[in-house]
Amino acid sequence: MRKRLIVSAAAGALALLLTVPASAAQIGPGAAGIGDPYYPNAGNGGYDVSHYDIRLKYQPATDELEGTATILATATQDLSRFNLDFVLGVKEVLVNGRTAKFASTGESELEITPARPLVKGAPVTVVVRYADKPGKVERGGYSAWLRTPDGGVAANEPEGSAWWFPSNDHPTDKATYDVSVLVPDGTQAISNGLLTGQSSRAGWTRYNWRQTKPQATYLATLAIGRFDIRTDTTPGGLPVVTAYSKDLGDNDGAARASVERTGELVDWLSGYFGEYPFGSIGGYVPNVPTGYALETQTQIFYSPAQFSRGSNTSVVVHELAHQWYGDSVSVQRWSDIWLNEGFARYSQWLWSEHENEGTAQELADYVYSSYPADNAFWSVKPGDPGADHQFSGAVYDRGAVAIQALRNTVGDEKFFQILKGWPAERKYGNATIQQFQAYAERISGKPLAQLFDTWLFTASKPAVSSAGVPAAAPAGAASLAPGGKGAPQEPKSWKKIQETNSLHEHTH
Ligand SMILES: [Zn+2]
């Protein structure tokens, strides 16, 4: 896709040379996508965003959302035109203070033509005014805005931001955020980071939220409804913000018994992953009918269904692990999703180990023996699952087996050094699986190409388990065949971990 765009842009430039001065010939439109093979239209080319200032007014009774987004960016090429990713109705666009032409095109592109072309390297301020009912705006029969009886929620992966603010919607363009939301008195608004102000006037209350650390667009979240918001600090002084819909019914106790352990669990994970990268942590449970949870940065989204069978600290561990593996260090391309989900799942295995409910090795053996070689589970390559299988079980479970295989290959000392060193190495950035492999090879001093190829990039069941036990054990030896003599017992934590599998359930 990227290659095709480069070719067509070159051809366009050549045609222009015939009619306009050479200096103007370089100016062209920015690409409609940032170049991600899984999602060709995700993100945009030609600029880099540093900050989003999102000012909203929302009426829960009617689902009417009005907004003004002020976007600070830098042009990375000369631009006659550029795109934002957005699906709501736009009323006005200004670029550097001047009225700009705009058009909604394709699935989710907002094409903006500034009054004057943008010069490479120059700062750009874009103001977009909009108003719509996000629950009514569908793409492919689907709206990413989760309507609730008392408001609405935006929390989705890999896309969701287009239903509440215009952006460069790809993890490689991170930015800081100010989100200010005006809602009727008695209703609360929640977003990422810290609540820096709250004021009421004439029946409406404004909530100001601030995220000062780089954040990918899909990790930005917004929830409006009637919430009980709690603030606290961990023993180490990290602010903790949690919120619960006042409408959780029978799930209320289990939700609080899980999410209120956030501070304890983030401290526990710091022991494995190193210093927590952000300025606050928390989570919220709105009254949505969905089943998944999502690692929205510092303010984790949990569906109440995650707590419908009682408390679940395992899902909290999973989403907290993402703050290092996914949020601070983000995918370079969506095909690198194993760097998020493999490690978040493995953190649940470490928690199981800590709780004496099965070791990571036992869980790896159980995954390995649970799926026969002809099961479709093994046809998904966790290292390049394809957009349709980005959130398949194999990315999580086989992905975590891959990590156990790495642990067995390099030994515990080097393994835990890698686990802790990687988030520091790539803090607030992006990375590919190949870069992780190179890092693991550097730290361990071992060649790992074959290991990565076997566990992440082969569409079949590896012939040896993570512990190096051959699948077809010689007669008389313990067999790892499912149900066979010596097949691993189901670890105690297994069911609870599987319950978290509707995390990131891709709804369209
Ligand atoms: Zn996850």
Side-chain angles (χ1 to χ4, degrees):
M1 188 62 196
R2 166 170 268 190
K3 195 174 176 190
R4 194 158 63 79
L5 285 168
I6 289 167
V7 170
S8 61
L14 203 65
L16 278 170
L17 274 173
L18 303 173
T19 51
V20 295
S23 60
Q26 306 304 316
I27 301 177
I34 211 164
D36 194 310
Y38 282 17
Y39 306 99
N41 290 320
N44 303 289
Y47 63 94
D48 187 70
V49 177
S50 59
H51 184 71
Y52 293 96
D53 184 282
I54 305 164
R55 200 170 170 86
L56 304 170
K57 181 180 184 183
Y58 184 74
Q59 174 53 265
T62 58
D63 195 32
E64 284 171 297
L65 180 72
E66 290 171 47
T68 302
T70 303
I71 301 169
L72 306 182
T74 303
T76 55
Q77 66 182 74
D78 291 343
L79 286 170
S80 59
R81 198 181 77 203
F82 62 94
N83 286 17
L84 290 167
D85 300 306
F86 198 43
V87 298
L88 302 185
V90 174
K91 298 201 297 196
E92 184 183 22
V93 178
L94 303 173
V95 178
N96 293 336
R98 289 174 169 79
T99 300
K101 288 183 191 155
F102 64 90
S104 295
T105 63
E107 279 263 294
S108 58
E109 300 293 323
L110 175 62
E111 262 183 32
I112 298 171
T113 307
R116 300 186 306 186
L118 304 178
V119 178
K120 180 181 178 180
V124 185
T125 304
V126 185
V127 175
V128 181
R129 291 187 211 284
Y130 50 100
D132 217 326
K133 295 184 176 182
K136 292 270 190 292
V137 180
E138 295 190 345
R139 291 291 181 273
Y142 156 89
S143 170
W145 180 250
L146 305 170
R147 222 14 199 132
T148 61
D150 53 358
V153 175
N156 223 307
E157 185 184 15
E159 55 201 349
S161 56
W163 272 262
W164 65 287
F165 68 99
S167 76
N168 190 18
D169 195 7
H170 192 269
T172 47
D173 193 356
K174 299 187 185 188
T176 54
Y177 289 71
D178 272 309
V179 177
S180 174
V181 192
L182 192 64
V183 290
D185 284 351
T187 293
Q188 284 74 36
I190 295 163
S191 190
N192 310 81
L194 286 171
L195 181 61
T196 58
Q198 182 183 333
S199 58
S200 184
R201 193 168 63 88
W204 290 78
T205 305
R206 179 170 292 285
Y207 290 83
N208 296 316
W209 292 86
R210 171 165 284 184
Q211 172 61 269
T212 60
K213 297 287 190 268
Q215 174 174 287
T217 45
Y218 84 97
L219 298 170
T221 191
L222 173 67
I224 294 161
R226 293 176 62 251
F227 284 95
D228 172 20
I229 301 178
R230 307 181 54 144
T231 57
D232 201 350
T233 52
T234 63
L238 182 70
V240 181
V241 184
T242 53
Y244 306 89
S245 166
K246 292 178 178 172
D247 202 14
L248 291 180
D250 291 348
N251 294 327
D252 187 87
R256 289 172 192 260
S258 311
V259 180
E260 285 305 308
R261 293 185 64 180
T262 293
E264 168 206 339
L265 295 172
V266 84
D267 277 354
W268 177 76
L269 279 168
S270 300
Y272 289 103
F273 298 151
E275 190 186 8
Y276 178 71
F278 303 122
S280 67
I281 188 57
Y284 72 96
V285 190
N287 50 342
V288 286
T290 49
Y292 62 96
L294 184 65
E295 62 269 24
T296 39
Q297 192 162 311
T298 72
Q299 189 60 269
I300 293 161
F301 163 87
Y302 299 96
S303 293
Q306 286 287 336
F307 310 109
S308 60
R309 281 156 289 196
S311 68
N312 189 349
T313 47
S314 190
V315 68
V316 178
V317 166
H318 179 109
E319 303 307 335
L320 287 174
H322 275 311
Q323 304 303 308
W324 286 265
Y325 282 87
D327 294 13
S328 175
V329 185
S330 302
V331 294
Q332 178 68 30
R333 294 288 175 255
W334 281 111
S335 55
D336 297 308
I337 190 67
W338 170 77
L339 288 173
N340 294 11
E341 301 306 346
F343 289 84
R345 173 53 44 89
Y346 197 79
S347 74
Q348 295 177 275
W349 291 10
L350 292 172
W351 179 240
S352 168
E353 212 164 90
H354 175 265
E355 296 287 277
N356 291 318
E357 293 187 340
T359 64
Q361 184 64 56
E362 286 164 354
L363 283 152
D365 289 343
Y366 193 70
V367 169
Y368 186 79
S369 69
S370 291
Y371 302 99
D374 59 358
N375 192 291
F377 176 86
W378 298 108
S379 67
V380 175
K381 295 181 282 184
D384 188 9
D388 288 345
H389 292 284
Q390 196 184 334
F391 301 108
S392 287
V395 175
Y396 296 72
D397 285 339
R398 181 177 172 179
V401 178
I403 295 168
Q404 183 64 23
L406 172 67
R407 181 175 172 178
N408 289 330
T409 302
V410 303
D412 271 13
E413 191 189 335
K414 294 294 184 191
F415 173 73
F416 287 111
Q417 200 180 327
I418 292 164
L419 210 56
K420 190 177 281 190
W422 175 250
E425 178 90 358
R426 294 276 167 173
K427 192 175 180 182
Y428 304 144
N430 298 83
T432 64
I433 293 174
Q434 289 70 27
Q435 288 165 337
F436 177 82
Q437 182 190 320
Y439 178 77
E441 286 176 336
R442 176 153 63 83
I443 299 301
S444 69
K446 292 195 171 179
L448 298 169
Q450 197 187 336
L451 178 86
F452 275 69
D453 192 52
T454 299
W455 285 100
L456 298 182
F457 295 99
T458 304
S460 59
K461 185 171 184 172
V464 292
S465 77
S466 66
V469 179
S479 166
L480 282 172
K485 199 176 153 208
Q489 295 293 307
E490 181 182 298
K492 277 185 197 162
S493 59
W494 178 254
K495 283 203 173 62
K496 197 57 96 177
I497 292 172
Q498 292 305 300
E499 280 172 18
T500 65
N501 275 357
S502 55
L503 314 176
H504 316 316
E505 180 180 72
H506 202 46
T507 46
H508 73 295

